[in-house]
Structures are given as structure tokens and as C-alpha cells.
Amino acid sequence: MNPGGGLTPRGFEQCLWLRRTLPELVDPAPAVRTSQYRRSQDTATLALPGLPSEVTTALNEQHYGDATYMTKHKLFVTYPEGADDMNCVPS
């Protein structure tokens, strides 16, 4: 069983690292907000134990249908009509 719930084993280990590191970087009682995704909530619980968190849809990932997870190169090869916008996309 993965003690991190929705996290991968690597993600769980990263949360433990984050728990040790965060006290040096944030106020003693930071505001904690997560997306609706379980791995986000698990990260907050593991990295900041005992602190309340607020779930907000504003932090949910955005999906772009078939274009989701495409590299910019593949995106503009697949959808050449958007190539003019490539200069506007941050690298």
C-alpha cells in the first residue's frame, strides 16, 4: 500500500523532503491551498501535517483535449493553423 495515497512512491519521498525543507522557507502557519486532485491534497497533508488546507478549483490542472501533453513542436505540427501563435507561447 502506498502511504501517500494518490502519490507515486517518488512523489511520497518528495513530500517527506518537502516536510523537512518547508519550515526554512515559509511562515510558521502558511495558508495551504490545494487543487481537487487527491495527489495535491495528499501532498499538503504529508508535507504540512496538522495544518488546515482549502481545496480550490482554481488550482486544478487544465486539459486541452487531444493537445494535452503534446510538446510545442508536436502541437504545431498537428495544428499548423496555430503556428502563428507560437511566438506568443513562453518556452
Side-chain angles (χ1 to χ4, degrees), residues 72 86-91:
K72 282 194 284 183
M86 188 168 182
N87 293 327
C88 299
V89 180
S91 317

Side-chain angles (χ1 to χ4, degrees), residues 1-88:
M1 179 177 154
N2 178 0
L7 298 170
T8 64
R10 181 177 182 210
F12 178 75
E13 290 299 321
Q14 289 172 331
C15 282
L16 297 180
W17 172 85
L18 192 59
R19 181 190 298 186
R20 292 187 305 270
T21 305
L22 274 177
E24 301 169 19
L25 303 174
V26 299
D27 292 327
V32 182
R33 293 179 181 85
T34 72
S35 71
Q36 292 179 308
Y37 295 103
R38 182 171 174 185
R39 68 180 180 277
S40 175
Q41 295 171 35
D42 289 347
T43 298
T45 300
L46 289 168
L48 299 161
L51 291 178
S53 63
E54 174 187 346
V55 176
T56 174
T57 58
L59 295 174
N60 287 354
E61 297 167 357
Q62 296 181 21
H63 292 279
Y64 299 96
D66 293 339
T68 301
Y69 307 117
M70 283 187 184
T71 63
K72 282 194 284 183
H73 175 75
K74 181 161 175 90
L75 179 67
F76 292 118
V77 167
T78 307
Y79 302 101
E81 64 278 5
D84 292 338
D85 295 334
M86 188 168 182
N87 293 327
C88 299

